Amino acid sequence: MARKKTTISVIKADIGSCPGHVVVHPHLEDVACGFMQEAKDDGLINDFRVTHCGDDLELIMSHRRGVDSEDIHKLAWKTFEEGTKHAKSLKLYGAGQDLLIDAFSGNIKGMGPGVAELEFTERPAEPIVVFMMDKTEPGAFNLPVFRMFGDPFSTAGLVIDPSMHAGFMFEIWDIMEHKKVMMKSPEELYDILALIGAKSRFVIKRIFPKKGKLPPKEAVAAVSTEKLAHIAGEYVGKDDPVAVVRAQSGLPALGEVLEPFAFPHLVSGWMRGSHNGPLMPVSLTDAKCTRFDGPPRVLALGFQVNDATLVGPVDLFDDPAFDPTREKAAEIADYMRRHGPFEPHRLPLSEMEYTTLPKVLSKLSSRFGAME
Ligand code: F6R
Ligand code: MG
Ligand code: MG
């Protein structure tokens, strides 16, 4: 059923890469483009872009079918399934890695791929940024998304622009207990930070406007929060997340959306999903993780949405102004690497639960005796 609002769906999966876990093979992107073009010709979607961030194949779709549309999720699933066949025929590494459940049953969530979707009434001009990360987890978005919508030292508009002065609503998920809470910024700023600072458990899922020109029920930012290990029950790679953020005219300006990434904060992931390391903002050319399978990357593509079609992309971190951040990230990567297998480079035991380490430790358990 066609509806008036526009939906942006970003759905991604690691279905195989070359070599090892480095980068999506161009053939897989071609296969995905073929599927997307067919869906566009059939009127299922209005527009699309296919890209990658490291070993993750990224489908960016615009349509009018709303979030959680079975048709759109099925299209993404079929695309990944078909891509997996090609990945297998090329003997790519980790072919079909993120397709954890066999049969599609209406919604791709909980099946392995990551999903970030926004449905909104298009403004006269509608800028959006699609963020894609590799070798990290959904909580990596907590700090930058908080800064965009909650930190007046980062987003000047929170102070200067009367239409942003009231602040925003944060929808925060407890991904361990499967509960969620809505919180008000700035009124509950300290409580919000008390939660989202624990980024392996509490993640920002969506941001909503509070007052002003924008409909308060239409989210202005959404982050994928799928946790592969929770679905598979064991380590099957990190949950490299994606996000969609709307910008300008009562929302953070495009530069305010990007500004938090000028600080290469520490995120968990990197080698074997088991290490803390800096998040490096990169252009598409550098969206491939090589050093120690990292360090973790973030790619940002900017679009204007025009009547549910996509104008762009512009590769937003392809800007020398982010060179110092990249240099700092490389410097931090060196510093962290020198800790070798020691915390805090290696993740704390609580976060290693879903890696291969418990198997190593269980072998030693019978050798432990009582302490004096
Ligand atoms: C991190 C990642 C890689 C792999 C590592 C070992 O998200 O995907 O760092 O964990 O290359 O991979 P396997 O166990 O497939 O040899
Ligand atoms: Mg991989
Ligand atoms: Mg990946």
Side-chain angles (χ1 to χ4, degrees):
M1 253 278 278
R3 9 197 315 163
K4 257 175 121 187
K5 289 184 189 180
T6 296
T7 307
I8 303 293
S9 297
V10 182
I11 308 188
K12 50 80 46 181
D14 178 349
I15 54 164
S17 47
C18 171
H21 291 280
V22 174
V23 77
V24 173
H25 191 284
H27 182 59
L28 298 192
E29 291 193 35
D30 290 345
V31 169
C33 275
F35 258 71
M36 294 282 118
Q37 187 59 52
E38 228 173 86
K40 185 174 169 179
D41 295 343
D42 290 348
L44 180 58
I45 55 176
N46 295 58
D47 207 354
F48 70 91
R49 296 290 183 275
V50 171
T51 189
H52 66 271
C53 183
D55 58 5
D56 296 291
L57 180 63
E58 316 274 356
L59 311 176
I60 303 169
M61 296 169 275
S62 56
H63 56 93
R64 296 207 185 274
R65 287 162 199 271
V67 302
D68 287 325
S69 153
E70 178 166 349
D71 293 338
I72 299 298
H73 285 212
K74 192 171 181 179
L75 167 66
W77 184 255
K78 292 272 165 219
T79 306
F80 293 140
E81 272 189 335
E82 185 62 21
T84 296
K85 286 185 200 154
H86 289 259
K88 284 185 175 157
S89 72
L90 287 166
K91 272 186 79 174
L92 297 181
Y93 198 73
Q97 180 189 287
D98 285 359
L99 308 191
L100 301 178
I101 311 274
D102 276 344
F104 180 80
S105 58
N107 194 307
I108 204 167
K109 286 182 192 159
M111 299 186 76
V115 185
E117 298 185 296
L118 283 181
E119 186 186 26
F120 51 86
T121 312
E122 267 183 43
R123 295 169 291 170
E126 187 65 57
I128 62 160
V129 182
V130 177
F131 289 101
M132 293 151 270
M133 292 185 184
D134 189 31
K135 305 292 186 272
T136 185
E137 59 172 14
F141 274 111
N142 279 7
L143 185 148
V145 173
F146 170 76
R147 287 213 166 131
M148 289 170 207
F149 292 95
D151 180 0
F153 278 72
S154 189
T155 291
L158 292 168
V159 179
I160 293 169
D161 181 350
S163 61
M164 284 174 73
H165 213 74
F168 292 90
M169 297 295 295
F170 283 60
E171 180 182 327
I172 298 168
W173 283 17
D174 176 342
I175 53 177
M176 300 291 179
E177 294 291 322
H178 302 281
K179 290 179 177 167
K180 64 177 184 181
V181 58
M182 294 295 287
M183 301 191 80
K184 286 182 193 156
S185 167
E187 296 90 324
E188 299 178 287
L189 211 55
Y190 301 156
D191 290 332
I192 290 174
L193 287 167
L195 293 179
I196 64 171
K199 62 186 172 41
S200 61
R201 176 161 173 179
F202 297 100
V203 294
I204 300 173
K205 179 64 187 174
R206 290 184 195 90
I207 303 288
F208 291 89
K210 243 198 265 169
K211 283 182 198 157
K213 294 178 278 183
L214 292 156
K217 289 201 173 128
E218 292 182 8
V220 293
V223 180
S224 70
T225 48
E226 284 66 31
K227 291 291 283 182
L228 291 175
H230 295 180
I231 301 166
E234 60 174 356
Y235 181 70
V236 281
K238 217 54 184 175
D239 330 284
D240 308 323
V242 287
V244 193
V245 180
R246 297 167 63 198
Q248 306 283 158
S249 305
L251 295 173
L254 196 95
E256 290 168 337
V257 169
L258 301 180
E259 178 62 12
F261 295 93
F263 168 58
H265 69 296
L266 291 174
V267 297
S268 59
W270 206 349
M271 174 58 75
R272 298 178 185 277
S274 307
H275 294 82
N276 283 311
L279 185 70
M280 185 186 270
V282 289
S283 68
L284 186 57
T285 317
D286 295 322
K288 51 175 185 273
C289 292
T290 57
R291 184 179 176 188
F292 199 56
D293 286 0
R297 311 283 150 127
V298 56
L299 169 70
L301 297 184
F303 300 90
Q304 285 293 137
V305 182
N306 175 15
D307 208 8
T309 65
L310 298 166
V311 179
V314 174
D315 190 351
L316 296 165
F317 291 137
D318 184 14
D319 175 355
F322 282 97
D323 284 348
T325 311
R326 291 186 267 266
E327 278 156 30
K328 177 66 86 186
E331 204 183 298
I332 296 167
D334 258 336
Y335 173 82
M336 296 302 282
R337 280 302 302 126
R338 289 192 52 191
H339 293 79
F342 284 82
E343 297 173 7
H345 182 25
R346 203 191 71 184
L347 300 185
L349 272 184
S350 56
E351 287 187 46
M352 296 292 282
E353 193 188 334
Y354 283 111
T355 70
T356 41
L357 186 73
K359 288 183 185 144
V360 176
L361 296 181
S362 71
K363 277 198 304 188
L364 298 174
S365 59
S366 61
R367 296 184 38 200
F368 277 88
M371 274 167 55
E372 285 107 64

